[in-house]
Amino acid sequence: MHPTEPQSRLVLLSPLAGWGTPLDEIPDPVFAGRMMGDGLAVDPTGVTLHAPCDGEIVALPDSRHAVTLRSDIGAEILMHVGIDTVGLAGEGFEAHVQPGRRVAAGERLITFDLDLIARRAKSLLTPILLVDGCGFTVVRSSGNREIAVGDLFMEIARTEEASRRGGAGEPGCGSAPGKIGQARVRRVRIALEHGIHARPAAQIAAALKGLAAEVRLTVQGRSANAHSTVALMKLGARNGDEVELSASGGDAGTAIEAVAALLAGAHQGSSSPRAAQRSPLARSARHFMAATASVGIEARADAVLPGVIASRGMAVGQAVRLTVREIEVAPVGAGVAHETSRLDRARAQVRIRLRAAHASASGTAREIAEAHLELLDDPGLIEEALALVAEGASAAHSWRQAIRGSIAALRALEDPRMAERADDLLDLERQVLLSLSGDAGAGIQELPPDAILLAEELLPSQLVALDATRLAGIALAAGGATSHVSILAAAAGIPALVALGPVLRRIADGTPLLLDADVGQLHVDPGTERLAAIRRQLELQSSRRAAEREAAQQDCYTADGSRIEVFANVGSLTEAQTAARNGAEGCGLLRTEFLFLERETPPSEAEQHAEYQRLAEALAGKPLTIRTLDIGGDKPIPYLPLPGEENPALGLRGVRTSLWRPDLLCQQLRAILGVRPYGQCRILLPMITDVAEIRSVRAMIEQAREQIGRREPIEVGVMIETPASALMADSIAEEADFLSIGTNDLTQYTLAMDRGHPELAARLDGLHPAVLRLIARTAEAAQACKRTVAVCGGLASDPAAAPFLIGLGVHELSAVPSVIPRLKALVRGLTVQDCARAARQALRQESAQAVRKLAAEWAGRQGVPASPGS
């Protein structure tokens, strides 16, 4: 132990060899959201955990995957090896200490099997935390660099409040102030698979913050303050144990209900807020990194790193690491008036730059500037920052703390779309801090030609500042496929991969790279001959795509003259504009959720109508198919609290939610019906399983028509996305004006595989014969009723599937905008007779793999590429 100030500050030494990593990268909302406390993670290369300071072991679970140490000045440090390692039940771990034992800095605590954890745990990242509520705070840490055991890791200091109290509080920390009120007692049985370990302990403590209640848990004669994560972990409470909850205070009832719900497993199994971390590709990247960490993957030629596709394309170039200067901020201000004025001036400067960017930009860049302008003047952020200034903090420290609090809250949510908006806050933090430091224009990196940018994460303002003519591609260790940076990259046509993992840090600047964002791989130093061949291939692709884009402006017919309409799936005005440029003949699916997500109140009827009208105008009179709100399941919204569901995928989803909340549906229907010219818009109903639902919505449409005085009828279509709707397609087709097959959900429900499941996602293929047979049945029913049948799911964007779909009787393909030119070129080379023959063969296959093989063979005979990356 090396205290710099007796009894007030303490330097913690690195307990583990590896790479210091911010907590934000941990694929777990409890740790990433700092619900247990602040600190740093280690991406380990060593296999032994050491004591970071002198102290006493206060908690060591039977699973030996974590240990808590109380330092001699009262601070408690939790060290948690890997994520979800409690499920290993001690396998691969050896403890060298026991609770109650004193240890010296550097002493061995736990040895673990790195390979076993890499194979079987969610992540190797090991959080080292200063337990929240113990009266101490982190004042500096050594992130984003390689560290050895014994290196400086963190420095902590006693908070002012704890100093005024004269100590860090009672052992166990996190104690709540005394509350007055009638005590309540309740007994519950723990339904948590691994008992009260780190995650549920943190969730319980977090749930009680802000409540006027003092809560204790008692199990098998042991009692703990429920506000203390360490005390809760020390209980050793297991699945099936009966717990007595006692609470007193004004919020005692609320507190007891909240804790009881958590102990009953209400949040068990919640996953990381980052979509990229949940994907099978990201998981593969982490396992690949772990398996090769000791052999130096960057030194081997032709190593391949799997990642998540953020923007499709292929690039050849040299590795260029993003250089970002850390902005140092002084914690203490020079007076409230002075610091308030500085913050106001800095925000004003950023506002001017953002308004200029908003005025000169279009599409996604304009929307991002608009979002940043709104965040810049967010009253909650400003109020929190000014409150800190009033307590004596500097403008920079106050702004950073206000922003970081909101970031932690967003990243702790289970909705990846909300979590990724934290990047916008981080971007805004940096812009304001740079203005406060007086060098807002500094730090713009000059790129060499054909640069493939490597970074942990990339902010929108950093991407916009780069020279796009020299930027060949982007490779990020973290990030999400739906972040604003990913959207910007896609809009600019810059190939990008995200969630490549910490191994990306080991690639040296100047290393030749092949970034294949069509299949999701980064090839490290693949060799001169291969790079030259890829460059020639890219030149040919560029010429071919230019010709395809030009030809895509014409209507699409097969080689034997059959009309196949190629529409676009869009989820914003920007995507609609891109679709129109790429030759889309209309919009086959407008996902209206973009209007309802990431906000606290629903959009008004006027706001919806204005947005639909803009989209209609962007399509210049071409058909606009508007799907009614498809919310529920994996797309919850805060102002629409749905009933608790054990399996949301089988609960209130799609039209079921709309009929449950008819007020929202009526508003949306009136907004759609008001779009001019009449006849351009069609209404599409999601998750229909019987005709009664269609009739209910049609009655509401007729009522809405009367309310706004519209005489003209409107086409109403139905999404076929469950086996039930496919089997009932003959009845449904009699009630609907057209059918549109959503192959993503249809595949999920047909194969009984969750499309978000990391182990099953690779097997979830819409070309499975069972799915194709349901599509065939739907097409036959539509043909019998003289109805148009479309495919708007992911299968429509897969060129390999096009011949089979056309052969089954599909008249319309609605694809992602980027694939439309390619899809039209492919369809023009097909004949319906050949497609029908291919479809009949596909229906006789026994597996999706067999159909894929058939597609490749068929494409080879026809002389057409079989995949988007070809």
Side-chain angles (χ1 to χ4, degrees):
M1 179 176 71
H2 302 281
T4 55
E5 294 180 22
Q7 302 302 307
S8 64
R9 298 174 78 91
L10 177 65
V11 170
L12 302 180
L13 307 180
S14 175
L16 187 60
W19 189 277
T21 303
L23 293 182
D24 301 323
E25 293 193 11
I26 297 179
D28 184 283
V30 169
F31 292 115
R34 292 166 174 78
M35 292 171 65
M36 296 201 67
D38 199 6
L40 197 65
V42 178
D43 181 16
T45 54
V47 297
T48 302
L49 189 71
H50 300 258
C53 61
D54 296 347
E56 179 186 349
I57 303 299
V58 293
L60 179 73
D62 293 341
S63 52
R64 304 183 295 280
H65 71 290
V67 61
T68 304
L69 170 70
R70 183 183 299 131
S71 73
D72 290 341
I73 63 172
E76 291 182 344
I77 299 97
L78 168 68
M79 293 157 276
H80 192 288
V81 181
I83 302 300
D84 283 356
T85 44
V86 63
L88 297 177
E91 185 178 358
F93 293 93
E94 180 184 358
H96 304 292
V97 292
Q98 292 295 328
R101 175 178 162 181
R102 280 199 52 80
V103 294
E107 189 171 340
R108 290 191 312 163
L109 305 178
I110 298 172
T111 300
F112 51 90
D113 187 330
L114 190 67
D115 291 336
L116 183 145
I117 296 172
R119 290 194 309 270
R120 296 176 54 184
K122 184 176 184 178
S123 172
L124 278 168
L125 287 175
T126 296
I128 313 296
L129 305 177
L130 176 62
V131 177
D132 190 30
C134 288
F136 290 83
T137 185
V138 177
V139 294
R140 61 176 172 139
S141 59
S142 302
N144 289 319
R145 70 175 180 86
E146 191 169 4
I147 51 178
V149 173
D151 286 353
L152 186 148
F153 189 70
M154 284 192 298
E155 185 177 4
I156 61 176
R158 194 183 305 277
T159 62
E160 292 182 11
E161 181 183 357
S163 297
R164 286 194 298 270
R165 291 200 312 264
E170 68 175 59
C173 306
S175 55
K179 310 292 192 303
I180 299 174
Q182 185 176 3
R184 298 194 181 201
V185 177
R186 179 173 172 182
R187 291 183 177 275
V188 298
R189 198 164 292 280
I190 298 174
L192 302 167
E193 182 181 0
H194 303 297
I196 303 179
H197 57 98
R199 184 185 295 109
Q203 290 173 331
I204 290 169
L208 295 176
K209 284 186 177 179
L211 294 181
E214 190 172 85
V215 184
R216 297 196 73 82
L217 271 68
T218 304
V219 56
Q220 296 181 355
R222 300 183 299 275
S223 182
N225 183 340
H227 296 261
S228 167
T229 54
V230 173
L232 289 171
M233 288 189 294
K234 288 166 65 177
L235 281 174
R238 301 181 179 183
N239 183 29
D241 285 351
E242 187 177 67
V243 178
E244 180 182 273
L245 305 178
S246 60
S248 61
D251 294 331
T254 302
I256 246 179
E257 289 298 325
V259 176
L262 288 165
L263 293 176
H267 296 284
Q268 189 168 0
S270 64
S271 56
S272 163
R274 295 175 177 269
Q277 296 288 0
R278 294 194 301 180
S279 74
L281 283 173
R283 181 169 179 162
S284 298
R286 292 196 301 274
H287 288 183
F288 184 76
M289 176 278 299
T292 55
S294 61
V295 298
I297 182 172
E298 79 286 353
R300 291 195 293 109
D302 208 23
V304 181
L305 308 183
V308 173
I309 298 170
S311 174
R312 290 189 178 274
M314 190 178 289
V316 172
Q318 59 176 307
V320 178
R321 192 163 302 281
L322 177 70
T323 56
V324 180
R325 177 178 62 81
E326 180 65 25
I327 304 173
E328 300 289 340
V329 300
V332 181
V336 175
H338 177 71
E339 297 300 330
T340 300
S341 176
R342 290 186 67 227
L343 182 58
D344 288 343
R345 283 198 306 272
R347 289 177 50 247
Q349 291 169 357
V350 173
R351 188 181 298 108
I352 291 169
R353 288 195 295 273
L354 287 174
R355 283 176 176 167
H358 182 266
S360 61
S362 62
T364 303
R366 182 183 180 91
E367 292 171 5
I368 292 173
E370 185 175 344
H372 285 189
L373 278 167
E374 291 179 3
L375 289 172
L376 183 65
D377 293 321
D378 181 87
L381 286 176
I382 297 169
E383 181 181 348
E384 188 172 349
L386 292 179
L388 291 169
V389 168
E391 293 176 1
S394 70
H397 178 80
S398 300
W399 183 251
R400 171 171 279 174
Q401 291 301 108
I403 290 280
R404 293 292 170 92
S406 296
I407 288 174
L410 284 174
R411 287 181 170 167
L413 297 174
E414 295 181 15
D415 185 346
R417 291 173 294 274
M418 294 296 290
E420 287 175 352
R421 295 294 79 85
D423 294 341
D424 293 322
L425 285 168
L426 198 61
D427 198 341
L428 196 61
E429 174 198 312
R430 185 170 183 82
Q431 293 181 61
V432 172
L433 292 185
L434 284 171
S435 286
L436 283 167
S437 68
D439 58 353
I444 297 176
Q445 188 168 351
E446 292 187 8
L447 300 177
D450 297 324
I452 294 181
L453 191 72
L454 309 184
E456 292 297 308
E457 292 185 294
L458 188 64
L459 302 176
S461 63
Q462 293 170 330
L463 175 57
V464 171
L466 296 171
D467 184 351
T469 64
R470 292 172 171 257
L471 184 60
I474 299 169
L476 303 181
T482 60
S483 69
H484 272 157
V485 160
S486 297
I487 296 170
L488 278 175
I494 302 170
L497 293 176
V498 298
L500 284 153
V503 69
L504 196 70
R505 305 180 186 120
R506 301 185 177 100
I507 299 176
D509 275 8
T511 302
L513 298 175
L514 164 60
L515 189 151
D516 188 344
D518 282 324
V519 298
Q521 294 179 340
L522 180 66
H523 298 256
V524 182
D525 194 9
T528 304
E529 292 184 6
R530 187 176 182 195
L531 288 175
I534 294 296
R535 284 194 176 95
R536 289 192 297 270
Q537 180 183 341
L538 289 175
E539 291 172 2
L540 291 173
Q541 281 186 359
S542 179
S543 299
R544 187 194 75 200
R545 287 171 180 165
E548 288 175 350
R549 280 194 299 271
E550 184 176 352
Q553 301 307 314
Q554 305 300 316
D555 289 345
C556 186
Y557 291 86
T558 61
D560 54 356
S562 293
R563 182 77 166 98
I564 302 295
E565 294 180 297
V566 179
F567 285 10
N569 296 337
V570 302
S572 67
L573 178 61
T574 301
E575 288 186 358
Q577 293 166 337
T578 301
R581 288 194 300 271
N582 284 354
E585 299 171 37
C587 168
L589 171 65
L590 172 64
R591 299 180 296 272
T592 58
E593 293 76 50
F594 77 98
L595 282 168
F596 292 81
L597 296 172
E598 301 179 23
R599 55 190 299 158
E600 296 302 317
T601 58
S604 67
E605 182 180 326
E607 182 182 350
Q608 291 186 64
H609 173 263
E611 193 66 33
Y612 301 148
Q613 188 65 55
R614 281 193 288 268
L615 285 154
E617 292 166 1
L619 293 172
K622 296 174 181 175
L624 171 59
T625 308
I626 303 178
R627 183 178 68 186
T628 58
L629 182 61
D630 186 11
I631 223 71
D634 61 343
K635 290 178 283 190
I637 48 181
Y639 52 85
L640 186 60
L642 298 172
E645 297 177 328
E646 186 173 343
N647 191 341
L650 302 180
L652 284 175
R653 287 198 58 188
V655 78
R656 300 170 187 169
T657 306
S658 295
L659 292 174
W660 180 66
R661 280 292 301 270
D663 54 323
L664 291 179
L665 178 58
C666 287
Q667 275 196 343
Q668 187 170 34
L669 292 175
R670 287 194 297 267
I672 296 170
L673 288 166
V675 174
R676 293 176 181 268
Y678 295 146
Q680 182 180 1
C681 288
R682 306 186 296 179
I683 293 175
L684 184 59
L685 308 179
M687 201 54 65
I688 292 288
T689 54
D690 62 58
V691 294
E693 294 167 328
I694 309 171
R695 291 170 184 159
S696 295
V697 178
R698 276 197 181 277
M700 295 172 69
I701 292 173
E702 291 308 307
Q703 184 181 17
R705 282 175 63 198
E706 292 178 7
Q707 289 171 347
I708 68 171
R710 172 174 171 171
R711 296 181 179 178
E712 296 81 0
I714 189 169
E715 289 189 41
V716 178
V718 166
M719 289 199 71
I720 304 296
E721 46 191 338
T722 66
S725 57
L727 294 172
M728 293 287 291
D730 49 355
S731 300
I732 289 174
E734 292 178 355
E735 293 286 336
D737 297 311
F738 63 96
L739 305 181
S740 188
I741 303 171
T743 54
N744 297 351
D745 272 328
L746 182 60
T747 304
Q748 170 178 248
Y749 291 123
T750 302
L751 302 182
M753 293 182 183
D754 182 355
R755 56 180 172 161
H757 196 293
E759 299 297 335
L760 300 176
R763 296 171 56 191
L764 202 72
D765 193 333
L767 283 182
H768 192 287
V771 180
L772 294 179
R773 291 176 190 181
L774 292 175
I775 294 173
R777 184 184 181 95
T778 302
E780 289 170 6
Q783 184 178 6
C785 293
K786 295 183 171 52
R787 302 288 192 257
T788 298
V789 62
V791 171
C792 63
L795 212 55
S797 300
D798 184 352
F804 301 127
L805 297 177
I806 293 170
L808 292 174
V810 171
H811 313 105
E812 175 192 313
L813 300 173
S814 192
V816 296
S818 60
V819 81
I820 287 172
R822 171 74 197 291
L823 194 57
K824 281 191 163 186
L826 187 150
V827 171
R828 290 190 179 105
L830 305 175
T831 68
V832 173
Q833 185 178 4
D834 287 341
C835 290
R837 187 182 305 113
R840 287 193 296 270
Q841 288 182 278
L843 292 174
R844 292 194 296 266
Q845 303 305 308
E846 296 181 350
S847 66
Q849 292 87 346
V851 177
R852 288 283 173 190
K853 182 179 179 182
L854 179 65
E857 294 171 352
W858 191 88
R861 290 195 300 271
Q862 298 294 319
V864 296
S867 69
S870 58

